Amino acid sequence: MAAGEGSEEEVRVLQTLRGKICQAKNLVPYSGQNKMRDCFCTINLDQEEVFRTQVVEKCLSPFFGEEFYFEIPRTFQCLSFYIYEKSVLQRDLRIGKVAIKKEDLSKYSGKETWFMLQPVDSNSEVQGKVHLELKLNELITDNGSVCQQLVVHLKECHGLPLINGQNCDPYATVSVVGPSRNDQKKTKVKKKTSNPQFNETFYFEVTRSSSYTKKSQFQVEEEDIEKLEVRIDLWNNGNLVQDLFLGEIKIPVKVLGSDSFQAWYLLQPRDNGNKSSKTDDHGSLRLNICYAEDYVLPSQYYASLRNLLLKSSEVEPISASSAYILAEVCRDKYDAILPLVRLLIHHHKLVQFITAVAELELTDTQEANTIFRGNSLATRCLDEMMKIVGKHYLKVTLKPILDEICDNPKPCEIDPLKLKEADNVEIHQENLRFYVDKVFSTVVQSSISCPKLMCDVFCSLRRLAAERFSNDPHVQYSAVSSFIFLRFFAVAVVSPHTFHLRPHHPDAQTSRTLTLISKAIQTLGSWGSLSKSKLSSFKETFMCEFFKMFQEEAYIEAVKKFLDEVSSTETKEPSVMSESIHLKEGEMYKRAQGRTRIGKKNFKKRWFCLTDRELTYHKQQDKDPIYTIPIKNILAVEKLDENAFNRKNMFQVIHAEKPLYVQANNCVEASEWIEALCRKSRYNESRLSVYHPSAFLNGNWLCCKATSENSEGCTPCTVGVPNDIQIEIDGDREAERIYSLFAINMPKLQKMEEACESIAVYQGPRKEPDDYSNFKIEDSVATFQTLKQIISVVEKLDEHHDRHGKKRSSSAKYGSEENPIVGKIS
């Protein structure tokens, strides 16, 4: 047996979702005098909201333009996008939705699609599953005749939705339904839980002898068993308001034999859900969705693929390397470049690879002023590298000034065609100049914070550019500025939400201000372009006039000094920040410290803030902290069992005092907070190895029943996320992504292999376009050798995945909790 072949149980299933909520159009007008609506869009996993856009005011075709990316930490059936109308006094109104089943997500991957909005019907908004046992018994009646009795044992439910952010109060009705009967019984209400344990048994007479004369709820004649069905309806007890439908299942009685039948079932919408309304009256929504589900094998399975990719920078020519071929065969290069860059960063091979592909690109660059301006493999690899390793750099550099601009924007419009009558263009110019100067000075003084990996790559690019265009003294600077100014800082200024510098896409006016600032920063960063002769190159006359303010040597010298510093590989002094770096913040609920009773009053909404130094919570966002936990004092960060307080999405921060119990708004947010806190506290000297997964209430730990509050934990701590960017990347996960891409594009790899063989046989000139004219094949022999290795590695990994897939399908029996029965059973 090969190493690791017995380790299929270690396979990890990892899900990611990324994409963009672009815009909606033709929404149904408001019925009042003002037809416009204030709209926002949400993303829901089943019925759990995990993302929300900003509100777009007074519009029936709102543009959202908001990108999203997150790990999906749980199983789900359906991905939904809801359009809401914001309401001040009442609950927000759901205007329409797009619902996509998980198995259909691949149809739309990687392309923008217009989806028709469906009407939102409470009868169709369901999630969760039911565990049920059914049995048909034969009974002898008092007069000796035989009748059949149906036994329904309703055991439990899992994953019912949150109602208004809280666990529901579920109960179930259990019915036997036929043409001439509807015999219904009801369970007890279970309080504050999404996973109710009912464990109740109900008995129904199914058939009886016509001579049996006892009064019945249904007609005395024997009913046709073919037409009977068991129906389970789940409801949320509304107390003073109407009960809310949570889903149903239907099972024909005819499928039951003499043996007991036990299974898990997915809750389904009501039969009439969504059938009453036309689907084309609600407008449409444009989305870009990329869903990936990776089955990551144990690390040893990826050794051959990993080694092949990591040796790419040593292959000559670089176009014959496996990493280069990966980008060549993928239709969407982003799919290939992201996992490739992450893998190369993880194994310290990115600088060598970017140097090699940049050198190849420069051989085709004829003019110095076009250097690194296209969307080539080199530039896209560098873009992704800067996004990955430059997150903190952007936050510490740009976030304070961007917060100032977005929270209290000053008018900055200087385009005469967009100015209003009352606008004062001189004041607008001064406002814009103030912002540009502030952003510019912040950037050019930030070199000490620039990550070393970025500096190493810039140093290499600068050397290559100077060698390629030895007669141009400015090219060594423009090679670097084309990345750090044009593709890093300028892009972050115009789209701060994309880099997590702001929670949402800015409103139209602020977005315009950021665009003008971004244009200015790009031009200021293009070293040597500020001479009078270059001002005429501005497309807009008003920008040309504005830039006359910046014709000072000091700006050019500041840019030059900054570019010298960020393209130097000399060891820098550690950056001493006067302010800590904000890593994550947001509103969550925390449980009052030291309370023992369970109740809603125990949980308070607070604003949480995590920096590189401490975790704090505040009564409101702009208030002083109520409570502070220094990062160095955190002993562990772990999920909290739902049964501790009957609440979902809870986690605990264990430190020297009592554990801090926190409830996030959804599963994605909870996962992100745990990851961020683990990453910062991973190397704390006093980290715990065991913890209590539940709470200490009423004199004992709910998990292990230990009676001392200071007793040692009963469960091993999970492995936290590391602090170092090199370790933070999951190399096996990236290798699995790359394997998947090679496997999907196997026909292209084989066609490329055939092309190499054709070139090797026929050395004459190519007279007509051929099948391999889209591939860059510099050296057919070297490329052929690499392709053979790639195909061999992929085929071996195919075998490992097939074996795991068979094991998975055989272990998850249809009707089990992992693989519940879907729909009506016939």
Side-chain angles (χ1 to χ4, degrees):
M1 181 183 289
E5 280 194 13
S7 306
E8 269 81 5
E9 67 275 6
E10 298 173 26
V11 171
R12 295 175 291 142
V13 183
L14 301 174
Q15 308 171 95
T16 53
L17 185 71
R18 68 175 172 87
K20 187 174 184 179
I21 301 173
C22 304
Q23 67 183 109
K25 68 178 181 182
N26 302 329
L27 300 181
V28 179
Y30 185 63
S31 57
Q33 188 175 0
N34 180 6
K35 304 294 184 185
M36 298 295 105
R37 294 181 183 270
D38 297 342
C39 301
F40 63 92
C41 184
T42 68
I43 302 177
N44 291 51
L45 296 173
D46 298 322
Q47 296 302 299
E48 182 181 15
E49 181 184 316
V50 294
F51 181 86
R52 177 180 290 213
T53 70
Q54 69 168 359
V55 177
V56 179
E57 296 181 347
K58 297 179 176 59
C59 189
L60 295 179
S61 293
F63 177 80
F64 300 108
E66 297 207 23
E67 296 183 359
F68 54 87
Y69 176 89
F70 47 82
E71 302 277 337
I72 300 176
R74 65 169 179 83
T75 58
F76 69 101
Q77 300 173 48
C78 190
L79 179 69
S80 299
F81 297 80
Y82 289 86
I83 300 287
Y84 281 84
E85 179 178 21
K86 184 70 179 173
S87 176
V88 178
L89 301 176
Q90 305 172 40
R91 287 182 61 186
D92 298 331
L93 174 68
R94 291 187 290 193
I95 298 172
K97 71 174 182 179
V98 172
I100 308 169
K101 289 183 178 178
K102 180 181 174 181
E103 56 268 27
D104 294 334
L105 285 170
S106 59
K107 296 178 188 176
Y108 309 105
S109 186
K111 55 191 176 186
E112 286 191 0
T113 307
W114 280 102
F115 294 88
M116 299 301 294
L117 287 170
Q118 305 291 321
V120 179
D121 176 0
S122 60
N123 288 331
S124 67
E125 307 296 294
V126 303
Q127 73 172 58
K129 51 193 173 185
V130 181
H131 193 194
L132 203 62
E133 184 176 8
L134 303 171
K135 190 173 183 181
L136 270 177
N137 290 333
E138 286 193 345
L139 297 178
I140 300 175
T141 63
D142 295 339
N143 64 358
S145 62
V146 176
C147 73
Q148 286 184 301
Q149 182 189 56
L150 175 66
V151 183
V152 181
H153 181 191
L154 179 57
K155 296 187 171 185
E156 60 185 318
C157 293
H158 275 186
L160 297 180
L162 299 177
I163 307 296
N164 298 328
Q166 302 297 320
N167 281 325
C168 54
D169 295 334
Y171 70 90
T173 58
V174 181
S175 311
V176 172
V177 181
S180 56
R181 71 182 287 186
N182 185 354
D183 195 1
Q184 185 181 93
K185 300 180 181 183
K186 180 180 169 183
T187 68
K188 294 176 182 176
V189 175
K190 299 295 180 181
K191 292 287 187 182
K192 301 301 176 199
T193 177
S194 294
N195 301 322
Q197 303 285 322
F198 290 111
N199 202 27
E200 294 191 41
T201 304
F202 302 94
Y203 299 91
F204 299 89
E205 293 176 35
V206 176
T207 62
R208 62 179 63 185
S209 169
S210 58
S211 60
Y212 188 52
T213 56
K214 186 177 178 182
K215 268 195 169 183
S216 169
Q217 292 178 332
F218 57 95
Q219 294 176 4
V220 173
E221 293 82 6
E222 182 174 327
E223 188 159 29
D224 187 351
I225 198 169
E226 293 288 318
K227 298 175 183 176
L228 289 179
E229 64 182 11
V230 180
R231 197 170 97 184
I232 313 291
D233 291 86
L234 266 293
W235 299 87
N236 178 60
N237 183 36
N239 292 323
L240 300 177
V241 297
Q242 187 175 359
D243 292 355
L244 183 67
F245 176 75
L246 299 178
E248 69 178 14
I249 60 171
K250 295 180 179 180
I251 306 161
V253 173
K254 66 181 180 182
V255 303
L256 305 177
S258 57
D259 295 332
S260 173
F261 183 80
Q262 183 178 174
W264 285 87
Y265 300 85
L266 282 178
L267 284 167
Q268 298 298 303
R270 269 214 184 120
D271 281 345
N272 64 348
N274 270 352
K275 289 185 180 177
S276 58
S277 304
K278 292 182 180 178
T279 59
D280 56 355
D281 295 335
H282 298 267
S284 53
L285 180 64
R286 182 160 58 96
L287 301 168
N288 189 330
I289 307 165
C290 293
Y291 168 75
E293 184 176 74
D294 296 320
Y295 292 88
V296 183
L297 303 173
S299 188
Q300 61 267 28
Y301 287 113
Y302 299 108
S304 298
L305 177 61
R306 193 164 46 234
N307 293 337
L308 190 60
L309 291 161
L310 296 180
K311 288 179 180 175
S312 290
S313 57
E314 301 165 21
V315 175
E316 291 186 3
I318 189 67
S319 60
S321 69
S322 57
Y324 195 98
I325 290 169
L326 174 68
E328 280 283 283
V329 297
C330 286
R331 181 175 61 85
D332 184 351
K333 284 203 170 14
Y334 180 88
D335 289 341
I337 286 167
L338 183 58
L340 176 63
V341 166
R342 291 173 70 86
L343 186 74
L344 293 174
I345 288 175
H346 183 57
H347 293 283
H348 311 279
K349 293 287 186 180
L350 186 67
V351 178
Q352 299 94 309
F353 180 71
I354 286 182
T355 301
V357 292
E359 192 169 14
L360 176 64
E361 180 178 337
L362 285 173
T363 60
D364 294 329
T365 305
Q366 302 305 315
E367 297 181 22
N369 61 359
T370 63
I371 193 167
F372 301 130
R373 292 299 175 99
N375 268 333
S376 64
L377 178 57
T379 58
R380 295 187 74 169
C381 283
L382 231 149
D383 285 346
E384 291 309 319
M385 178 273 287
M386 292 191 296
K387 285 180 186 175
I388 293 167
V389 304
K391 285 179 185 175
H392 288 178
Y393 181 29
L394 283 176
K395 281 191 175 180
V396 73
T397 307
L398 287 184
K399 187 168 177 22
I401 177 62
L402 289 175
D403 285 343
E404 179 186 333
I405 294 167
C406 294
D407 291 337
N408 299 292
K410 297 177 181 178
C412 293
E413 185 55 72
I414 58 174
D415 183 351
L417 298 176
K418 295 185 178 181
L419 289 167
K420 298 172 185 174
E421 285 186 21
D423 289 341
N424 187 320
V425 70
E426 286 80 13
I427 293 175
H428 287 201
Q429 280 189 340
E430 284 305 312
N431 290 341
L432 183 58
R433 173 156 193 186
F434 172 78
Y435 283 150
V436 170
D437 271 332
K438 197 160 186 179
V439 172
F440 176 78
S441 62
T442 303
V443 168
V444 295
Q445 292 169 23
S446 70
S447 61
I448 200 164
S449 304
C450 186
K452 184 178 184 301
L453 181 59
M454 287 173 65
C455 295
D456 290 345
V457 173
F458 293 152
C459 180
S460 181
L461 295 181
R462 182 174 176 173
R463 175 183 58 78
L464 290 174
E467 290 172 0
R468 174 71 178 85
F469 298 100
S470 54
N471 297 327
D472 189 331
H474 300 320
V475 74
Q476 58 175 314
Y477 294 111
S478 59
V480 178
S481 68
S482 64
F483 287 104
I484 196 157
F485 278 103
L486 272 68
R487 305 176 83 108
F488 187 60
F489 283 119
V491 177
V493 167
V494 81
S495 303
H497 59 293
T498 304
F499 292 85
H500 305 290
L501 300 174
R502 296 288 297 173
H504 296 297
H505 184 83
D507 61 56
Q509 183 180 331
T510 308
S511 185
R512 174 64 179 164
T513 297
L514 294 175
T515 299
L516 293 170
I517 297 169
S518 178
K519 283 183 177 184
I521 294 301
Q522 287 181 50
T523 308
L524 284 169
S526 299
W527 189 84
S529 66
L530 297 180
S531 63
K532 291 180 181 179
S533 61
K534 294 287 180 111
L535 288 174
S536 59
S537 65
F538 279 107
K539 292 178 182 177
E540 305 103 332
T541 308
F542 64 88
M543 285 301 289
C544 182
E545 290 299 315
F546 175 68
F547 251 87
K548 289 179 180 176
M549 297 180 178
F550 296 90
Q551 284 188 284
E552 299 172 19
E553 195 66 26
Y555 287 102
I556 296 175
E557 289 305 312
V559 170
K560 184 179 176 182
K561 180 175 181 290
F562 171 69
L563 295 175
D564 280 334
E565 290 167 350
V566 295
S567 57
S568 167
T569 57
E570 294 175 12
T571 305
K572 300 177 183 179
E573 293 297 319
S575 174
V576 181
M577 306 289 181
S578 58
E579 294 184 10
S580 56
I581 303 172
H582 280 246
L583 303 177
K584 190 167 179 60
E585 56 187 343
E587 204 167 56
M588 296 188 289
Y589 290 87
K590 68 102 193 164
R591 184 175 184 266
Q593 300 273 356
R595 300 277 183 88
T596 55
R597 70 179 190 275
I598 300 176
K600 191 172 180 180
K601 291 181 181 177
N602 259 357
F603 286 84
K604 301 288 186 184
K605 189 181 285 187
R606 294 289 181 256
W607 184 266
F608 284 77
C609 181
L610 173 66
T611 71
D612 58 334
R613 300 175 188 174
E614 60 194 19
L615 172 69
T616 57
Y617 62 76
H618 314 241
K619 199 161 190 177
Q620 293 172 343
Q621 183 174 356
D622 299 323
K623 301 292 184 183
D624 291 335
I626 300 173
Y627 193 74
T628 300
I629 303 174
I631 294 296
K632 63 183 181 181
N633 292 354
I634 294 177
L635 306 178
V637 183
E638 298 287 348
K639 290 181 179 178
L640 189 72
D641 280 355
E642 183 185 329
N643 61 12
F645 303 106
N646 284 327
R647 288 176 177 238
K648 282 180 176 289
N649 306 318
M650 288 200 69
F651 63 93
Q652 53 182 317
V653 182
I654 304 169
H655 58 116
E657 300 176 29
K658 289 179 180 292
L660 174 65
Y661 297 129
V662 184
Q663 183 187 24
N665 294 303
N666 57 65
C667 61
V668 171
E669 185 178 68
S671 179
E672 288 175 350
W673 273 99
I674 292 169
E675 181 184 337
L677 285 160
C678 283
R679 186 182 298 132
K680 291 311 299 176
S681 62
R682 162 105 181 191
Y683 294 114
N684 287 353
E685 291 182 3
S686 303
R687 274 188 71 92
L688 298 176
S689 57
V690 291
Y691 77 107
H692 290 286
S694 197
F696 187 82
L697 294 173
N698 302 322
N700 65 67
W701 288 98
L702 299 181
C703 42
C704 60
K705 306 306 178 188
T707 54
S708 169
E709 193 168 1
N710 298 319
S711 67
E712 189 177 40
C714 56
T715 303
C717 286
T718 55
V719 177
V721 179
N723 198 26
D724 178 18
I725 186 70
Q726 307 293 351
I727 311 169
E728 178 191 335
I729 292 167
D730 185 342
D732 295 337
R733 205 266 180 78
E734 306 308 331
E736 169 61 26
R737 280 271 80 219
I738 292 170
Y739 150 73
S740 299
L741 292 168
F742 274 138
I744 291 166
N745 290 286
M746 183 59 78
K748 287 186 181 178
L749 292 171
Q750 291 166 341
K751 189 178 282 190
M752 205 173 185
E753 190 179 33
E754 291 168 10
C756 291
E757 290 174 326
S758 300
I759 294 169
V761 172
Y762 175 65
Q763 298 293 342
R766 298 179 203 166
K767 297 177 182 178
E768 296 179 4
D770 47 46
D771 286 341
Y772 54 86
S773 57
N774 292 326
F775 299 132
K776 188 178 183 70
I777 301 175
E778 285 185 281
D779 185 323
S780 60
V781 175
T783 306
F784 182 79
Q785 287 299 114
T786 304
L787 286 164
K788 282 192 75 68
Q789 290 175 292
I790 293 170
I791 292 168
S792 172
V793 164
V794 170
E795 286 173 348
K796 285 179 183 174
L797 280 166
D798 281 341
E799 292 174 11
H800 297 316
H801 280 83
D802 287 345
R803 189 168 61 251
H804 164 64
K806 286 174 186 172
K807 181 170 182 178
R808 199 160 37 90
S809 60
S810 61
S811 62
K813 181 183 173 186
Y814 191 48
S816 65
E817 186 175 0
E818 300 77 23
N819 188 18
I821 295 169
V822 182
K824 183 173 177 176
I825 308 307
S826 57

